[in-house]
């Protein structure tokens, strides 16, 4: 017998969901307020009240076994009467809420009531809908009474409305399972190391654990993780694969990899989620139904195109989503989330799984206990997580808004004035010096709470149409700061800093491991992979792994001799010595790019130092073929530069380690034949980096490694990895910094770097380059 498991909410929403998108800009905060409202009303009930009452029952219809489950807000038992309590928070005026105000709300409570009656063998039951107005904090209760026959008739009518869709889901699942069983590796052979990688991924997923893998360029990482993850789906019920990326280019690669398997017979619904700002059809990303026609009536138009898509197609990329959304007047972003909910594979940015500001909005799509996470370019996740969980506030922004709101709303301006005052108090305590605060700034957070409460009421009042954008922005920043303060522990710190004439208070996540561990425990299995995950045990710790989670280092499939890796042992790029070595560095750069005409990249530790070297270089050598990348480069300019590398010869790019050209750029064969990397790649010394250093010095006596060395060396690996992209590539990498000859760095070298050579003067460099290119010419 076929089995369908779904929640009461899913069943009810399938039949009754209609109207506008209710994902207004305040949705995440409203969700939190709704949770608080539930807790408040539940806490007011007496000893005869059972809150969060779990109900589960099996039903058979048309030879399909349904497992229906849900959690009623409360069960009241008093005076020989049972009442199902259903709480709904709202901003609607309670005077407008009467009986039958919302059929979906009644239906949900009736489902709970029916299951409760069956479980407890009773014939009559009551339900009450309690509407709690978040503005006025008042409650309106509406009572209904039903007998078992009425509830049974209603419930089976509801279930029968779902039967056709249930059969579609069953048929698609069977088709998917058969196609997965029949799926073969889509290439004629495995590359070197690829089978080992795939087997490790498959085994890790079956065990429900985590794998941290360093897999160099050429292994074929995307198919090596997607193929075994898809094959494992038949071993775990209700699994969904999330392919999480840091860049749009890797999303495209992942989608095309699934497409290739679909072309070979795989039946697997796959959705690519594009950022709301990028995919929105409107000039301004504003989800208010009064502004956006794609949001207004969205759910009235959704079911038919959604069902047709799921029944008739497998691959839902941005082009498909936009085309279908325009045809049916749907919000493309919400449509992608709804397709994602119905899909087997979801390809999206890290933030949809890890960022608290995004994850709260559609918890039905993300974070289920059977998720399989494939985390690409995982070395990026450490700092991305820090950014996601480190809110900051600027004193002067509050003061400017205070002056503007004085003319508009005195209560809000007074709350803003108090916040400004709290900043001043913190400044006085720190003598206007950047420093970590000794304790949580309780008074500031309390003032933020008061402001947020008043601002939310003002923002949601339809009469206040011409409100400043700065107020909404400040509301979001304040509520997010409050939200993170509620989870902050010893892995966070509060600090004050001064930038120009501005005062900043930041809640900084120092060690992201515990935050990530908490998120990852919701998933079934997580696979972290990158060409640069060195050292593996460090990344296993910092990305939320446990000591018994697996680590795997794959050897490069390419011939080591195809890469001429050199380190200049005679030039130091220490901050205190680099100025004196600029001219020598210019000489080395020129010798690398002059010995053989071709395309090269030169990676610098910072834009400012790149500018200094360029000034000297242009006085000594021809710069007509040199492109100097500027710091504010946009996507169009980036594409123009990549196109130059693809279509021309003799192109030299001056860029930075850790920048847009140091990873995610694929320039095989003659399109890029060499790179020069100056320095050790360590991040710029900063107040935050030193906070990380001090934290891990105290914890593991390894502060410099955690804050500077490991992040820096992975930047070096990424930059050097641009040169050899295929088994036919040959190229040169020169690393200019004598520190890289030290054993502490050499121990970090991947296996395919062990053949490196040291050059200690210009002549030895020229000889090495000549010998390498001559050897190639003679082959």
């Amino acid at each position: 017998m076929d089995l369908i498991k779904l929640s009461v909410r899913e069943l009810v929403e399938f039949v009754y969901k209609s109207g506008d998108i209710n994902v207004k800009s305040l949705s995440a905060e409203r969700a939190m307020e709704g949770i608080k409202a539930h807790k408040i009303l539940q806490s007011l009930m007496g000893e005869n009240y059972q809150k969060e009452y779990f109900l589960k029952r099996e039903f058979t219809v048309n030879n399909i076994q349904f497992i229906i489950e849900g959690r009623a807000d409360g069960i009241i038992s008093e005076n020989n009467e049972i009442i199902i309590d259903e709480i709904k928070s709202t901003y609607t005026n309670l005077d407008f809420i009467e009986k039958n105000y919302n059929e979906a709300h009644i239906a949900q409570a009736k489902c709970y009531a029916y299951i409760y009656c069956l479980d407890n063998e009773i014939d009559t039951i009551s339900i009450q809908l309690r509407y709690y107005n978040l503005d006025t904090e008042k409650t309106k209760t509406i009572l209904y009474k039903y007998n078992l026959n009425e509830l049974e008739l209603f419930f089976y009518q509801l279930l029968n409305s779902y039967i056709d869709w249930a059969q579609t889901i069953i048929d698609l699942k069977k088709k998917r399972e058969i196609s997965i069983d029949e799926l073969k590796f889509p290439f004629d052979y495995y590359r070197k190391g690829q089978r080992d990688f795939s087997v490790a991924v498959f085994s890790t997923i079956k065990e429900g654990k985590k794998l941290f893998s360093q897999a160099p360029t050429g292994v074929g990482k995307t198919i090596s993780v997607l193929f075994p993850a898809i094959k494992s789906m038949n071993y775990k019920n209700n699994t969904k694969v999330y392919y999480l990326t840091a860049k749009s280019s890797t999303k495209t690669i992942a989608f095309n990899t699934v497409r290739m398997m679909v072309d070979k017979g795989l039946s697997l619904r796959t959705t690519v989620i594009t950022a709301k700002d990028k995919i929105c059809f409107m000039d301004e990303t504003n989800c208010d139904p009064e502004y956006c026609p794609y949001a207004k009536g969205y759910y009235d138009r959704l079911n038919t195109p959604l069902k047709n898509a799921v029944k008739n197609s497998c691959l839902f990329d941005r082009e498909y989503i936009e085309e279908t959304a325009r045809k049916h007047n749907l919000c493309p972003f919400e449509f992608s989330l709804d397709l994602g909910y119905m899909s087997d594979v979801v390809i999206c940015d890290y933030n949809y799984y890890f960022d608290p500001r995004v994850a709260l909005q559609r918890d039905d799509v993300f974070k289920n206990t059977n998720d399989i996470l494939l985390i690409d370019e995982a070395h990026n996740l450490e700092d991305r997580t820090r950014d996601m969980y480190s809110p900051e506030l600027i004193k002067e922004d509050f003061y400017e808004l205070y002056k503007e709101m004085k003319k508009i709303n005195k209560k809000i301006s007074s709350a803003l004035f108090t916040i400004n005052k709290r900043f001043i108090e913190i400044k006085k305590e720190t003598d206007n010096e950047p420093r970590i605060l000794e304790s949580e700034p309780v008074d500031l957070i309390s003032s933020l709470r008061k402001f947020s409460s008043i601002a939310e009421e003002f923002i949601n009042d339809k009469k206040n149409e011409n409100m400043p954008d700065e107020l909404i922005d400040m509301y979001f920043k304040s509520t997010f700061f409050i939200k993170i303060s509620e989870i902050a522990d010893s892995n966070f710190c509060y600090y004050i800093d001064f930038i120009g004439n501005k005062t900043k208070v930041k809640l900084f996540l120092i060690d992201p491991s515990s935050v990530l561990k908490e998120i990852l425990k919701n998933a079934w299995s997580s696979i972290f992979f990158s060409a640069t995950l060195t050292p593996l045990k460090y990344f296993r710790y910092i990305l939320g792994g446990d000591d018994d989670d697996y680590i795997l280092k794959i050897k490069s499939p390419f011939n080591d001799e195809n890469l001429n890796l050199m380190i200049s042992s005679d030039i130091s790029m220490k901050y205190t010595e680099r100025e004196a070595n600029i001219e020598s560095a210019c000489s080395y750069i020129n010798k690398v790019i002059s010995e053989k005409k071709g395309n090269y990249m030169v990676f610098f530790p910072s834009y400012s130092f790149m500018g200094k070297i360029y000034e000297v270089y242009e006085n000594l050598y021809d710069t007509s073929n040199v492109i100097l990348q500027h710091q504010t480069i946009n996507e169009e300019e980036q594409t123009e530069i990549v196109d130059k590398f693809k279509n021309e010869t003799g192109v030299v790019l001056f860029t930075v380690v850790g920048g847009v050209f140091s990873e995610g750029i694929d320039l095989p064969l003659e399109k890029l034949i060499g790179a020069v990397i100056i320095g050790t790649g360590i991040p710029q010394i900063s107040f935050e980096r030193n906070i990380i250093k001090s934290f891990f010095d105290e914890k593991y006596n390894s502060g410099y490694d955690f804050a500077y060395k490991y992040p820096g060396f992975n930047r070096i690996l990424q930059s050097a990895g641009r040169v050899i992209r295929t088994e036919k590539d040959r190229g040169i990498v020169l690393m200019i910094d004598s520190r890289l000859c030290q054993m502490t760095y050499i121990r970090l070298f991947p296996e395919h770097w062990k053949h490196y050579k040291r050059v200690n003067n210009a002549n030895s460099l020229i000889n090495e380059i000549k010998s390498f290119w001559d050897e190639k010419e003679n082959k």
Side-chain angles (χ1 to χ4, degrees):
M1 186 180 294
D2 295 313
L3 177 68
I4 290 284
K5 184 178 180 180
L6 72 161
S7 69
V8 168
R9 184 171 63 85
E10 287 176 301
L11 175 61
V12 168
E13 286 189 353
F14 177 84
V15 178
Y16 286 100
K17 197 163 189 178
S18 61
D20 307 333
I21 289 174
N22 195 27
V23 187
K24 295 189 179 182
S25 53
L26 303 184
S27 60
E29 315 339 300
R30 289 185 179 187
M32 297 302 293
E33 289 299 313
I35 292 168
K36 289 177 184 176
H38 277 62
K39 289 180 177 178
I40 290 168
L41 293 190
Q42 286 171 335
S43 68
L44 295 174
M45 307 303 288
E47 59 182 18
N48 296 323
Y49 188 83
Q50 299 177 71
K51 65 180 181 180
E52 302 300 326
Y53 192 94
F54 182 72
L55 293 153
K56 181 178 180 180
R57 189 87 178 182
E58 295 182 10
F59 303 90
T60 301
V61 180
N62 287 18
N63 208 34
I64 299 173
Q65 184 181 7
F66 288 91
I67 299 177
I68 310 293
E69 62 184 29
R71 199 175 294 275
D73 292 326
I75 305 289
I76 305 167
S77 307
E78 59 185 13
N79 301 325
N80 295 321
E81 185 182 15
I82 303 295
I83 302 173
I84 303 292
D85 184 38
E86 188 66 15
I87 299 167
K88 299 296 179 185
S89 57
T90 183
Y91 286 101
T92 302
N93 187 323
L94 296 180
D95 291 338
F96 299 148
I97 296 177
E98 301 292 346
K99 280 209 170 192
N100 305 319
Y101 163 72
N102 187 304
E103 291 293 336
H105 294 170
I106 302 169
Q108 194 171 342
K110 286 168 78 172
C111 289
Y112 295 142
Y114 180 55
I115 296 172
Y116 187 91
C117 285
L118 293 176
D119 287 347
N120 294 276
E121 299 181 350
I122 59 176
D123 291 326
T124 59
I125 195 169
S126 296
I127 65 173
Q128 67 176 25
L129 296 180
R130 287 199 287 168
Y131 289 94
Y132 179 86
N133 187 287
L134 293 164
D135 281 335
T136 64
E137 299 182 355
K138 291 183 178 179
T139 305
K140 183 169 188 175
T141 302
I142 303 175
L143 277 166
Y144 305 83
K145 193 165 188 174
Y146 299 98
N147 61 46
L148 181 61
N149 290 335
E150 289 174 314
L151 292 172
E152 185 172 68
L153 180 63
F154 166 79
F155 184 82
Y156 277 98
Q157 284 176 341
L158 190 66
L159 209 50
N160 278 313
S161 300
Y162 193 81
I163 287 292
D164 286 345
W165 185 238
Q167 192 60 56
T168 298
I169 292 171
I170 290 165
D171 293 343
L172 289 170
K173 184 182 178 185
K174 288 178 179 177
K175 186 178 178 183
R176 183 194 81 179
E177 289 174 350
I178 292 169
S179 74
I180 288 174
D181 278 339
E182 294 176 348
L183 180 66
K184 300 288 190 288
F185 190 69
F187 297 103
D188 294 335
Y189 61 91
Y190 283 92
R191 294 180 186 176
K192 186 178 177 181
Q194 198 170 43
R195 182 184 286 276
D196 292 340
F197 191 12
S198 292
V199 169
V201 170
F202 185 81
S203 300
T204 301
I205 293 172
K206 281 192 74 176
E207 292 181 46
K209 298 186 78 169
K210 304 183 194 80
L211 171 68
F212 297 81
S213 178
Q214 179 167 292
T217 300
V219 170
K221 295 186 289 293
T222 309
I223 189 64
S224 297
V225 296
L226 270 170
F227 176 71
I230 290 167
K231 292 294 283 186
S232 73
M233 293 176 81
N234 281 359
Y235 291 86
K236 183 76 177 170
N237 286 330
N238 301 315
T239 52
K240 182 174 292 197
V241 172
Y242 287 93
Y243 194 101
L244 304 168
T245 76
K247 292 184 170 59
S248 296
S249 57
T250 44
K251 282 198 290 188
T252 302
I253 293 168
F255 184 78
N256 288 338
T257 302
V258 176
R259 185 198 297 275
M260 176 179 57
M261 289 185 277
V262 168
D263 289 342
K264 292 180 180 290
L266 178 65
S267 179
L268 201 74
R269 295 182 299 283
T270 302
T271 297
V272 177
I273 294 179
T274 305
K276 184 187 287 189
D277 288 345
K278 289 185 178 180
I279 203 171
C280 180
F281 292 153
M282 304 297 286
D283 293 334
E284 179 188 348
T285 307
N286 179 353
C287 299
D288 187 335
E290 298 305 314
Y291 167 78
C292 178
Y294 304 102
K296 191 168 185 64
Y298 172 83
Y299 290 106
D300 298 331
R301 302 185 296 272
L302 173 64
N303 272 1
T304 298
L306 181 63
K307 289 177 186 176
N308 288 340
V310 172
K311 281 183 179 180
N312 303 317
S313 304
C314 271
L315 301 171
F316 313 123
D317 60 358
R318 179 174 178 173
E319 183 181 359
Y320 177 96
I321 289 165
E322 288 185 340
E323 182 181 334
T324 307
R326 283 194 186 279
K327 182 178 177 181
H328 296 278
N329 293 317
L330 297 171
C331 165
F333 179 70
E334 289 297 321
F335 186 53
S336 73
L337 293 184
D338 284 308
L339 282 171
Y341 181 68
M342 301 304 302
S343 290
D344 307 297
V345 177
V346 177
I347 301 169
C348 58
D349 189 90
Y350 293 158
N351 64 348
Y352 291 100
Y353 219 92
F354 297 107
D355 192 325
R357 287 162 292 194
V358 177
L360 268 176
Q361 294 183 20
R362 286 295 293 264
D363 207 37
D364 56 335
V365 183
F366 302 97
K367 296 187 182 178
N368 296 307
T369 54
N370 291 332
D371 292 343
I372 297 168
L373 309 185
L374 307 178
I375 302 163
D376 196 0
E377 302 291 1
H379 61 277
N380 289 300
L381 186 58
E382 176 187 353
D383 282 338
R384 281 284 298 271
T385 305
R386 283 198 180 101
D387 289 343
M388 292 173 193
Y389 282 83
S390 297
E392 61 182 51
L393 302 172
I394 305 294
K395 170 192 174 298
E396 286 70 23
D397 293 345
F398 283 97
Y399 188 69
E400 288 302 314
L401 182 59
Y402 152 71
K403 290 192 291 185
E404 187 169 357
M405 291 304 297
K406 277 174 73 176
K407 315 165 204 168
I408 302 171
N409 185 286
K410 288 184 178 179
K411 284 176 68 177
I412 293 177
S413 67
S414 176
L416 290 165
F417 182 81
T418 303
I419 292 171
N420 185 67
K421 185 179 174 183
R422 300 299 177 226
F423 271 101
I424 294 170
E425 291 167 357
I426 295 170
K427 280 180 69 176
K428 287 178 180 176
E429 291 174 6
T430 56
D431 299 323
N432 290 348
E433 289 292 328
R435 66 176 63 183
I436 296 175
L437 303 182
E438 293 181 4
S439 60
E440 180 184 31
V442 177
D443 291 341
L444 174 62
I445 293 170
S446 177
S447 300
L448 291 170
R449 288 185 192 280
K450 184 174 181 181
F451 160 70
S452 298
S453 176
I454 299 168
E456 183 168 349
E457 184 178 343
F458 182 81
I459 291 167
N460 283 295
D461 189 337
K462 296 280 186 184
K463 298 171 189 172
N464 301 317
E465 293 179 358
N466 299 317
M467 70 186 70
D469 290 339
E470 292 81 4
L471 175 63
I472 298 173
D473 182 53
M474 201 61 69
Y475 166 80
F476 281 132
K477 288 178 178 176
S478 299
T479 53
F480 184 55
F481 195 96
I482 294 164
K483 190 183 302 176
I484 300 301
S485 75
E486 291 171 351
I487 65 165
D489 56 16
S490 60
N491 295 301
F492 290 78
C493 75
Y494 294 87
Y495 76 78
I496 188 167
D497 198 3
F498 303 91
I499 304 158
N501 295 321
K502 294 191 173 182
T503 303
K504 174 175 75 175
V505 170
K506 185 166 185 175
L507 174 48
F508 180 53
L509 174 58
I510 310 169
D511 180 355
S513 62
S514 59
V515 165
L516 287 170
K517 193 187 293 281
E518 186 66 21
I519 297 168
L520 294 169
K521 76 178 184 182
N522 293 313
W524 171 252
S525 178
S526 303
I527 310 296
F528 298 80
F529 57 102
S530 171
T532 56
L533 220 55
T534 299
L536 277 167
K537 287 185 178 178
Y538 161 75
F539 277 105
R540 180 174 64 182
Y541 164 76
I542 207 74
L543 297 180
D546 297 305
D547 289 344
D548 62 345
D549 285 324
Y550 300 124
I551 57 176
L552 177 68
K553 191 179 289 187
I554 304 291
K555 194 177 185 303
S556 172
F558 302 143
N559 188 336
D560 294 349
E561 295 178 1
N562 287 356
L563 174 67
N564 187 13
L565 181 68
M566 299 169 287
I567 306 173
S568 66
S569 60
D570 61 324
I571 301 178
S572 171
M573 282 295 154
K574 280 185 181 177
Y575 189 77
T576 54
E577 299 174 30
R578 62 171 58 165
E579 299 278 341
N581 289 318
I582 286 180
E583 196 164 318
S584 297
C586 288
S587 173
Y588 273 29
I589 293 167
N590 184 254
K591 285 175 171 55
V592 169
I593 67 177
S594 299
E595 194 58 42
K596 177 179 174 61
K597 186 176 180 181
N599 296 339
Y600 296 86
M601 289 187 183
V602 184
F603 294 93
F604 295 86
S606 67
Y607 286 99
S608 60
F609 191 60
M610 179 171 72
K612 289 179 181 179
I613 286 194
Y614 184 79
E615 283 181 17
V616 175
Y617 191 91
E618 68 177 344
N619 288 327
L620 298 171
Y621 308 105
D622 177 25
T623 57
S624 59
N625 62 337
V626 175
I627 301 169
L628 188 68
Q629 186 217 315
H630 60 85
Q631 194 164 358
T632 57
I633 188 170
N634 59 38
E635 284 188 22
E636 186 178 337
E637 292 167 324
Q638 182 183 338
T639 301
E640 287 177 8
I641 292 173
V642 172
D643 287 342
K644 274 184 173 291
F645 275 89
K646 290 179 178 178
N647 300 317
E648 300 177 21
T649 301
V651 180
V652 178
L653 174 67
F654 279 21
T655 184
V656 293
V657 290
V660 293
F661 293 101
S662 65
E663 60 178 294
I665 301 293
D666 198 25
L667 296 168
L669 301 173
E670 302 300 318
K671 295 178 179 66
L672 182 70
I673 64 170
V676 179
I677 303 168
I678 297 172
T680 58
I682 63 171
Q684 190 172 356
I685 293 172
S686 68
F687 185 58
E688 282 190 359
R689 282 284 151 190
N690 283 336
I691 290 174
I692 298 170
K693 178 179 179 297
S694 297
F695 180 90
F696 285 109
D697 265 337
E698 187 174 331
K699 194 166 185 175
Y700 296 119
N701 199 29
S702 301
Y704 182 79
D705 291 346
F706 277 52
Y708 291 104
K709 181 181 283 185
Y710 296 157
F713 188 70
N714 279 279
R715 289 179 177 184
I716 297 291
L717 285 171
Q718 281 290 332
S719 300
R722 296 313 94 211
V723 177
I724 303 296
R725 307 301 296 173
T726 74
E727 58 190 15
K728 295 181 180 179
D729 281 17
R730 280 172 62 84
I732 282 177
V733 171
L734 171 65
M735 299 190 294
I736 301 177
D737 199 318
S738 57
R739 287 175 292 179
L740 292 168
C741 295
Q742 297 169 2
M743 283 308 298
T744 54
Y745 275 102
I746 291 171
R747 288 192 194 100
L748 297 176
F749 283 14
E751 192 65 32
H752 61 282
W753 275 25
K754 299 297 184 185
H755 68 298
Y756 76 94
K757 303 180 184 81
R758 299 187 188 195
V759 293
N760 53 23
N761 57 52
N763 287 334
S764 65
L765 173 64
I766 292 171
N767 290 336
E768 281 293 344
I769 297 172
K770 276 181 176 292
S771 173
F772 179 77
W773 289 126
D774 287 348
E775 183 184 340
K776 181 188 175 186
E777 296 296 329
N778 293 330
K779 281 191 175 181

